[in-house]
Amino acid sequence: MAFLALPPHPALASLVLGYWFIEDLEGSYEGNPIRTTPHTAAVLTLNFGRPCRSEFSAGAPRASLLGVQSRPRVWHSGEGVSFVMVMLRPPGLARLFPSTGAESRDELIELGGLLGDGPSRRLGEELSAVWEPRRVAKSLDAWLLRRAEATQGSEGELMRLGWAWKSLASAARVDDAARVAGVSVRQLERWFQMHVGCSPKELQGLERMQASFRAAQMGQGDPLQGFSDQAHQIRQWRRYLGTTPGRYERASWSTLAEFFAQSREAAPEGLSHFF
């Protein structure tokens, strides 16, 4: 299985974590589950080959949006699988697909249902025509920049949400983040529920859990950071991952997780999405 992560255009850096390309044309990973952790990133997935099999009732559409993930997921690869994942930060989901937070949280939505079948199909055709990761990334940059420009009517609200998220990601209190955004806590919570599908506090919990998991997987940072004590950490791991740090260390890891744990310099931001 081939894996490549490319950065977005600098103008998209506050909205997009990166573009993750995964290819399994020979089916070498077939039968091995691809497990993903709970994550604050939303994922726009565009398939160039056969889609992965998944647990979602919608299957795996050729183009789909998955919002914030509050529980682990399991995917299955196979021969002919090839796709790109556009990893969206919470402000990116809000700005590029406004008002879809509640609908997309933990749910896979066909992109055609959001954009219309015509625009969704044209996007897929445009990317397939230029297939080569760096050319695809450049086309995605252009498409996403146009999407961001099209939401300028809501820019004030969505920009303030971005300010609040930046504050929350640095471990600020929710009321402090509301002050940064210049709104009440209640208004901030409404914005987050509408555009991201989670409350600010829930997102902070997911971010703290993800950072702890990443530290345990990569051997970088402190897995206990942000938790009051080890018991608190264990409770959160059980809640979000269904395991404990000790059990995770003793468990077998997926090929993707093993590769990047051993090749840290190749690891993209947010790699511990895989385990």
Side-chain angles (χ1 to χ4, degrees), residues 101-196:
E103 181 184 6
S104 65
R105 173 178 170 168
D106 289 317
E107 291 293 338
L108 200 66
I109 302 172
E110 288 196 55
L111 193 62
L114 296 175
L115 306 181
D117 290 335
S120 176
R121 184 178 61 256
R122 284 194 294 273
L123 173 63
E125 291 171 351
E126 176 185 335
L127 296 180
S128 295
V130 299
W131 173 249
E132 188 282 317
R134 284 167 179 79
R135 294 176 67 192
V136 170
K138 188 174 181 179
S139 291
L140 282 169
D141 282 340
W143 187 82
L144 292 168
L145 286 167
R146 291 195 299 271
R147 285 284 303 170
E149 185 177 354
T151 62
Q152 285 185 349
S154 303
E155 187 171 3
E157 177 178 313
L158 299 178
M159 183 179 293
R160 290 185 181 196
L161 185 148
W163 296 343
W165 170 244
K166 187 174 181 180
S167 178
L168 291 167
S170 64
R173 293 165 50 94
V174 175
D175 54 352
D176 291 331
R179 278 193 289 274
V180 167
V183 296
S184 68
V185 169
R186 186 174 180 182
Q187 181 62 55
L188 187 67
E189 289 177 342
R190 280 197 292 264
W191 284 353
F192 270 81
Q193 289 288 357
M194 177 187 301
H195 297 300
V196 186

